Amino acid sequence: MTQLKNDTFLRALLGQPVEYTPIWMMRQAGRYLPEYRATRSRAGSFMGLCTSPDYATEVTLQPLERFPLDAAILFSDILTVPDAMGLGLYFAEGEGPKFERPLRDEAAVRALTVPALDKLGYVFDAVSSIRKALDGRVPLIGFSGSPFTLACYMIEGGGSDDFRHVKAMLYSRPELLHHILDVNARTVIDYLNAQIDAGAQAVQIFDTWGGALTQAAYREFSLAYMRQIIAGLKREADGRRVPVIVFTKGGGQWLEEIAAIGADCVGLDWTTDLGAARARVGDKVALQGNFDPNALFAEPAAIEREVARILASYGAGSGHVFNLGHGISQHVKPEHAGALVDAVHRLSRSYHAAG
């Protein structure tokens, strides 16, 4: 494989000295970019993008052509996994993802099994294609949803405001939910390891809905399964470590517990103070985040002030990857995203002067 020209992101994840704080943005390839909208139109649908390695490569690289980002992230969707399990993923116009066959009864739950990896071959082909196209420019991040977050979609049949179906199962038939979570965890291990084999140089587990749980339920139904995944992942490829990032939206209150499951980095949303988080975990893990994505609707001067505040909160030294506290909005002006990247690179250098 081509040698990395910019490994700042990987070094920061491992707490190694860097010249500046690296940045990438969750959902950095997306609808806020006019070139993405044009490619999606050619592909005909969102899944048309996801299932075509050529289109997935094209849109993955689009933000890197605009902004000097320090990592690329595979263009895909967390719901490709339950789709491979036969739940019938489709996207309703204006409504987001839906499943034709949600897991609502015991027979459907018991029938759930780890799918054959060849059903996700288009994802691994995309990883290989993107890695080749990057030609060592920056590292490539692979990803998956967490077992619990996947289960939320699989049981609810789509997005949800209250998760009443999954929580009803959690409290009344926990053994059924555990079966789903175990199948999901085993699938995610296979899925992420195959992404690493195909060329992913770091992986992130998106636990988008873990923060909707009580503390006891979070430990039992989300954290335990992410620990299982991390224990099963390949941690080295091409002669260097493959870092693992865990991001539980709304999980700042459980930071110490998340930091103890074996990941290299913990992502934080904007509700947790970064400096306080650093004090809580020390050098046990790197931290990723945590700019409020809606602050990108402000003018560039205000964006720069918020960047300066976050960098000052974290303080000097490595172990910080700058990111949003959630995905970038489709309504953000691309030049505002560019202002964010520029401010992080420019203002962070003084915090790494000794590095």
Side-chain angles (χ1 to χ4, degrees):
M1 286 286 187
T2 307
Q3 187 169 351
L4 266 176
K5 301 175 180 73
N6 175 1
D7 66 351
T8 308
F9 166 71
L10 296 179
R11 284 187 283 134
L13 286 175
L14 300 176
Q16 298 169 357
V18 292
E19 295 73 42
Y20 61 87
T21 302
I23 176 173
W24 67 281
M25 297 179 289
M26 287 187 276
R27 216 181 290 147
Q28 64 190 22
R31 288 178 288 176
Y32 75 107
L33 295 177
E35 55 268 40
Y36 168 90
R37 295 195 296 270
T39 305
R40 178 168 170 165
S41 178
R42 293 204 321 274
S45 68
F46 177 75
M47 286 305 289
L49 278 181
C50 288
T51 56
S52 163
D54 289 342
Y55 281 138
T57 300
E58 183 178 325
V59 296
T60 296
L61 267 59
Q62 284 171 347
L64 298 171
E65 299 302 324
R66 273 191 182 256
F67 317 120
L69 294 155
D70 294 292
I73 183 166
L74 163 71
F75 185 83
S76 188
D77 193 273
I78 64 170
L79 299 184
T80 55
V81 167
D83 183 46
M85 294 173 173
L87 272 62
L89 176 66
Y90 68 99
F91 286 81
E93 192 64 39
E95 294 184 53
K98 302 272 189 182
F99 284 108
E100 295 171 3
R101 294 173 290 281
L103 302 175
R104 295 283 177 80
D105 60 68
E106 183 164 355
V109 171
R110 296 296 184 194
L112 191 72
T113 57
V114 175
L117 275 185
D118 59 10
K119 293 182 179 177
L120 292 160
Y122 62 89
V123 176
F124 315 132
D125 290 344
V127 171
S128 297
S129 172
I130 295 162
R131 177 76 185 271
K132 183 177 180 182
L134 283 169
D135 193 32
R137 189 193 312 191
V138 293
L140 174 60
I141 306 166
F143 71 91
S144 174
S146 71
F148 179 74
T149 292
L150 295 176
C152 286
Y153 287 100
M154 294 160 72
I155 296 166
E156 298 292 337
S160 176
D161 293 328
D162 56 13
F163 304 105
R164 64 183 183 273
H165 295 292
V166 70
K167 287 194 171 186
M169 186 182 292
L170 185 155
Y171 290 113
S172 61
R173 296 294 306 277
E175 74 281 4
L176 294 184
L177 183 54
H178 277 303
H179 176 74
I180 296 170
L181 295 171
D182 178 66
V183 171
N184 286 354
R186 289 186 285 127
T187 302
V188 169
I189 290 169
D190 292 347
Y191 184 54
L192 289 179
N193 280 336
Q195 289 184 39
I196 293 166
D197 287 342
Q201 291 150 291
V203 293
Q204 175 156 321
I205 302 169
F206 284 90
D207 187 34
T208 310
W209 301 124
L213 293 168
T214 66
Q215 178 158 319
Y218 177 73
R219 288 172 177 161
E220 180 179 352
F221 295 96
S222 184
L223 196 65
Y225 289 96
M226 291 193 291
R227 180 186 288 111
Q228 179 183 335
I229 289 167
I230 292 168
L233 290 180
K234 299 178 180 181
R235 302 301 287 273
E236 189 170 309
D238 302 332
R240 70 186 301 162
R241 187 169 176 85
V242 179
V244 179
I245 308 163
V246 172
F247 174 58
T248 294
K249 186 170 181 286
Q253 61 185 315
W254 307 312
L255 175 59
E256 291 86 351
E257 293 179 77
I258 300 170
I261 64 172
D264 299 284
C265 179
V266 177
L268 296 168
D269 66 25
W270 61 92
T271 62
T272 299
D273 180 81
L274 200 58
R278 186 182 189 185
R280 287 164 62 187
V281 300
D283 60 2
K284 180 176 286 188
V285 291
L287 295 173
Q288 180 174 276
N290 62 344
F291 189 94
D292 181 351
N294 285 330
L296 288 173
F297 291 115
E299 291 306 308
I303 291 170
E304 182 163 327
R305 286 195 300 272
E306 184 63 5
V307 168
R309 184 193 67 77
I310 291 170
L311 291 172
S313 178
Y314 186 82
S318 192
H320 178 209
V321 172
F322 207 101
N323 207 317
L324 309 179
H326 200 243
I328 189 169
S329 166
Q330 63 175 302
H331 305 297
V332 164
K333 295 177 181 176
E335 55 267 32
H336 287 198
L340 173 71
V341 176
D342 172 72
V344 171
H345 283 163
R346 183 164 35 85
L347 299 177
S348 66
R349 289 186 178 273
S350 63
Y351 293 99
H352 301 280

